[in-house]
Amino acid sequence: AALALTPRPVDDPDLDGAHAVALWRTLSERLDTDALWLRSPDMQGPLNTAGLVLDQEELWIAMLTEPERVHAFLEQVCDLLIHYARYLREATGNRLCGNIWPYTFLPADRGVSLTEDMMPLMSAALYKEFGLPYLRRIGEALGGLQIHCCGAWGHHAATLAEANLSLRAVEYHHPFTTVDQLACLPDNVVRIPYITLDRQDVQNDGPQFDNALAYYRHLLATTPPETRFWFALGNATPASRAFAQEVAVL
């Protein structure tokens, strides 16, 4: 049944993508500017999108019982995501700077941000077979990948490092995934750290942090100097501004 579905056109005015573009055009006209950027609606990865169409448990079972059909469906999902991203780029003249989530700015000529929250729920072998081929296709088509994942996905780091994905950046949430687990990624892959302060007891053998800035300072003090970080500080506060000045000096 999923294979028989025909997606609605990506420029359908009733869908979020076209609605966002229409709002962007209206505001650009009213402000009389060609310098306005669009942050796109949420961009889910191939497996996340497939899991929104199919029941996730049925999808995982089918990976074992009908892998050819799963691959055929993921090919269709991948085609749609590439078409959708290209539509947003073309409709805005490349004035696209990432998605409403995550909180980072990724110009369209650097690639596309995707949420891959199915990773923690899959083994490295299963994700290598059903996740990586479609990430690679999207990265090749759109110029690179920034991957967001909230959960415990460190067991995939080695697979991602070996996959030739045009990987620009990865987001991770300490303590579910740690910076040490990502050490195998190439140095040019930017780490975008977050921390879940009220779940630090998940990892009992490391230091505890009172706030995100304390964790970021720890990262700067304990990781190799070639490690690249992108700190998403959220709303500006005196503390976050002071931290930004510290990083600028470094």
Side-chain angles (χ1 to χ4, degrees):
L3 285 167
L5 292 173
T6 300
R8 293 164 71 176
V10 293
D11 60 352
D12 186 316
D14 291 331
L15 299 183
D16 285 348
H19 184 58
V21 168
L23 289 174
W24 173 83
R25 286 174 175 162
T26 297
L27 187 56
S28 295
E29 292 171 1
R30 292 183 180 179
L31 294 176
D32 190 24
T33 182
D34 59 0
L36 192 66
W37 292 82
L38 172 69
R39 292 182 73 86
S40 82
D42 195 14
M43 185 78 171
Q44 300 290 309
L47 282 171
N48 274 35
T49 304
L52 293 170
V53 178
L54 293 168
D55 178 88
Q56 289 185 9
E57 292 184 4
E58 294 290 342
L59 176 61
W60 285 319
I61 291 170
M63 290 178 185
L64 304 178
T65 60
E66 300 184 86
E68 296 83 4
R69 282 187 164 184
V70 173
H71 280 298
F73 181 55
L74 289 171
E75 286 285 354
Q76 293 182 4
V77 171
C78 194
D79 288 342
L80 176 64
L81 292 176
I82 292 170
H83 188 36
Y84 169 72
R86 283 176 172 164
Y87 159 69
L88 292 175
R89 291 181 178 187
E90 293 166 3
T92 61
N94 267 347
R95 299 294 296 180
L96 192 65
C97 60
N99 316 322
I100 57 171
W101 168 259
Y103 303 136
T104 48
F105 179 103
L106 187 69
D109 61 0
R110 301 300 297 159
V112 64
S113 297
L114 296 173
T115 294
E116 279 288 284
D117 281 341
M118 292 276 273
M119 282 201 297
L121 309 178
M122 300 173 67
S123 70
L126 203 61
Y127 190 78
K128 182 177 182 179
E129 180 178 356
F130 292 99
L132 295 187
Y134 307 103
L135 287 180
R136 187 178 296 109
R137 272 196 61 201
I138 291 175
E140 291 173 351
L142 300 174
L145 293 169
Q146 176 180 310
I147 296 177
H148 161 82
C149 184
C150 295
W153 63 269
H155 60 293
H156 294 295
T159 310
L160 291 172
E162 299 166 359
N164 191 27
L165 289 179
S166 302
L167 196 57
R168 305 291 188 198
V170 293
E171 297 196 12
Y172 72 95
H173 285 238
H174 181 87
F176 307 109
T177 299
T178 67
V179 71
D180 292 341
Q181 291 177 300
L182 307 184
C184 61
L185 294 175
D187 292 336
N188 65 345
V189 176
V190 179
R191 281 72 161 164
I192 306 175
Y194 293 90
I195 182 170
T196 305
L197 293 169
D198 62 351
R199 295 297 305 279
Q200 294 183 73
D201 57 346
V202 171
Q203 180 180 325
N204 295 315
D205 59 349
Q208 305 283 300
F209 304 98
D210 293 333
N211 53 59
L213 298 183
Y215 173 56
Y216 297 160
R217 289 188 175 98
H218 170 78
L219 292 176
L220 292 173
T222 58
T223 56
E226 62 270 17
T227 306
R228 301 174 66 191
F229 288 108
W230 188 349
F231 299 113
L233 300 181
N235 294 329
T237 65
S240 66
R241 282 193 287 267
F243 175 75
Q245 291 175 349
E246 292 175 31
V247 174
V249 171
L250 292 174

